[in-house]
Amino acid sequence: GSDTTFVDVSAETTQANRAWTVVAWVRVDSLSAGRIQNIIGLDANISSSYLSIAQTAKKLMIYDIGAGAWRMNNTKLNENTWYRVAFVFDGDTTITFYLNGVADGTGEIDNTGAYADLAIREIGSRKGSATSTGNKRLLGGAIADLQLWQGAFTADDASYDYLNPESLVLSNGGTSLTESNLKAWYPMQDGHRGQQSYILDASNTGLGAEIVPEPHFANIDDWTIQNADSNNT
């Protein structure tokens, strides 16, 4: 695909329309020090290209392009644990982090030019260009039910979103968001249950006993020849 901008901050005339929200279920396998893991990203010099998890600090973070500094939430994440994470930009300079429907710290980002735009090219990675050779910041783990909104989740929206994983926040009677605010939605399920996905692997099987343990493809002595077929191919 290509870089896609869902909220162009400089083109909008109101703070409400400049605001945006990114929300997803995320589980990380390892949080050992030394590698940043991206939730979404693209190959661009904007803060939403750095919606990430810090492995040293073990926290959600976003890069403030103008200040050249990372902004993080308060609470450390645990490995192999599902979290409903949300990055909520207020349309001015403030990012609010949410963990499982609860506000968990804020940070400031520069809104100069395109710095505060919401754009995406990849999920679970940053570098999106076909010719890019930089660190892709691949996420080792799983992501489900990724949503990108124009408009800021309120605290009530974030709580409803977490407590009702089978419903969009549009079903929250007090929300000001409408269907037109939902810019992208990736349920990431194998099947379909209404308008929402499972939080875990939608097939409820994962990868386990279905994997052949020791196929020994390189050793022809482990193969049984049937109907005079050749083992040379």
Side-chain angles (χ1 to χ4, degrees):
S2 59
D3 295 349
T4 303
T5 298
F6 292 106
V7 179
D8 183 341
V9 169
S10 62
E12 298 295 341
T13 59
T14 67
Q15 183 174 339
N17 286 340
R18 295 185 188 107
W20 49 260
T21 299
V22 175
V23 60
W25 285 98
V26 180
R27 189 204 73 225
V28 180
D29 297 336
S30 175
L31 288 166
S32 58
R35 185 166 65 88
I36 296 169
Q37 301 185 65
N38 258 44
I39 296 172
I40 65 169
L42 65 159
D43 195 5
N45 199 35
I46 65 174
S47 288
S48 65
S49 187
Y50 300 87
L51 295 188
S52 315
I53 297 172
Q55 286 203 303
T56 301
K58 302 182 179 181
K59 296 181 178 182
L60 301 175
M61 62 182 187
I62 185 171
Y63 193 61
D64 179 359
I65 297 292
W70 291 100
R71 312 303 184 191
M72 300 185 186
N73 74 310
N74 295 331
T75 303
K76 289 185 177 181
L77 307 182
N78 294 316
E79 296 176 347
N80 298 307
T81 302
W82 281 99
Y83 293 97
R84 188 60 166 169
V85 306
F87 299 78
V88 180
F89 176 58
D90 72 348
D92 185 18
T93 61
T94 301
I95 289 281
T96 301
F97 302 94
Y98 285 87
L99 272 183
N100 293 342
V102 178
D104 194 65
T106 62
E108 299 298 310
I109 63 171
D110 193 329
N111 61 11
T112 303
Y115 286 171
D117 288 357
L118 174 60
I120 185 176
R121 183 187 183 108
E122 297 190 358
I123 299 170
S125 172
R126 176 177 177 266
K127 294 286 188 177
S129 169
T131 59
S132 175
T133 58
N135 179 4
K136 288 186 70 68
R137 293 176 173 168
L138 299 173
L139 185 138
I143 298 176
D145 188 22
L146 172 67
Q147 301 170 19
L148 281 70
W149 295 81
Q150 180 177 28
F153 270 22
T154 63
D156 189 53
D157 288 334
S159 176
Y160 182 92
D161 172 76
Y162 169 65
L163 294 173
N164 297 273
E166 294 295 325
S167 299
L168 290 170
V169 74
L170 298 174
S171 299
N172 179 17
T175 188
S176 63
L177 299 171
T178 66
E179 289 186 8
S180 64
N181 292 108
L182 182 58
K183 297 303 180 182
W185 181 24
Y186 305 96
M188 303 179 195
Q189 79 270 41
D190 296 337
H192 192 281
R193 284 185 63 191
Q195 62 174 189
Q196 173 62 334
S197 71
Y198 295 87
I199 294 171
L200 303 177
D201 174 27
S203 66
N204 287 328
T205 59
L207 295 176
E210 296 171 33
I211 299 176
V212 179
E214 291 292 337
H216 300 299
F217 291 120
N219 188 346
I220 63 172
D221 293 332
D222 293 319
W223 291 75
T224 300
I225 306 301
Q226 296 291 336
N227 301 324
D229 288 337
S230 170
N231 60 17
N232 293 328
T233 60

